[in-house]
């Protein structure tokens, strides 16, 4: 399917059609931006591997993209990509 999925702490999570080249920042804009509790520097993009071999996990930081020289993190999305914006409270705690 030629769609991406934006999940987690965005204003309008959901499935969005890919009509043209779309970057990570454009996808977040489509989802109307972050919620107040979004961990915007812990964005994860899950991408199906070649021949549907497992999921690749790509990490991105909004502040790096916008404020620093992290433009490489503003990746071009591919059909089926799942963008997950965790909440600050979900940031992983060490396991015992």
């Amino acid at each position: 399917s030629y769609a991406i999925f934006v999940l987690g702490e965005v204003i309008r999570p959901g499935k969005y059609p890919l009509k043209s080249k779309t970057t990570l920042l454009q996808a977040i804009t489509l989802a109307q931006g972050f919620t107040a509790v979004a961990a915007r520097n812990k964005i994860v993009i899950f991408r199906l591997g070649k021949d549907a071999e497992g999921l690749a996990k790509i990490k991105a930081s909004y502040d790096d993209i916008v404020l620093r020289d992290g433009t490489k993190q503003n990746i071009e999305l591919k059909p089926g990509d799942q963008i997950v914006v965790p909440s600050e409270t979900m940031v992983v705690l060490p396991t015992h």
Side-chain angles (χ1 to χ4, degrees), residues 19 31 45 68 78 90:
K19 292 188 173 82
I45 301 107
R68 299 180 195 97
K78 294 188 175 173
M90 279 176 63

Side-chain angles (χ1 to χ4, degrees), residues 10-47:
V10 289
I11 305 295
R12 291 194 60 203
K15 179 179 178 180
Y16 292 91
L18 278 183
K19 292 188 173 82
S20 59
K21 288 186 177 184
T22 304
T23 65
L24 175 59
L25 289 188
Q26 288 169 330
I28 289 164
T29 303
L30 286 172
Q32 298 190 350
F34 300 113
T35 67
V37 297
R40 62 189 199 178
N41 297 321
K42 305 253 192 282
I43 301 166
V44 180
I45 301 107
F46 292 98
R47 174 172 288 170

Side-chain angles (χ1 to χ4, degrees), residues 4 10 13-15 17 27 30-31 39 46 55 63 71-72 79 91 95:
I4 54 166
V10 289
K15 179 179 178 180
L30 286 172
F46 292 98
L55 282 176
D63 286 356
T71 49
K72 287 187 206 75
V91 174
T95 54

Side-chain angles (χ1 to χ4, degrees), residues 69-82:
D69 193 23
T71 49
K72 287 187 206 75
Q73 293 180 49
N74 189 24
I75 63 168
E76 186 182 317
L77 299 170
K78 294 188 175 173
D81 279 359
Q82 300 168 44

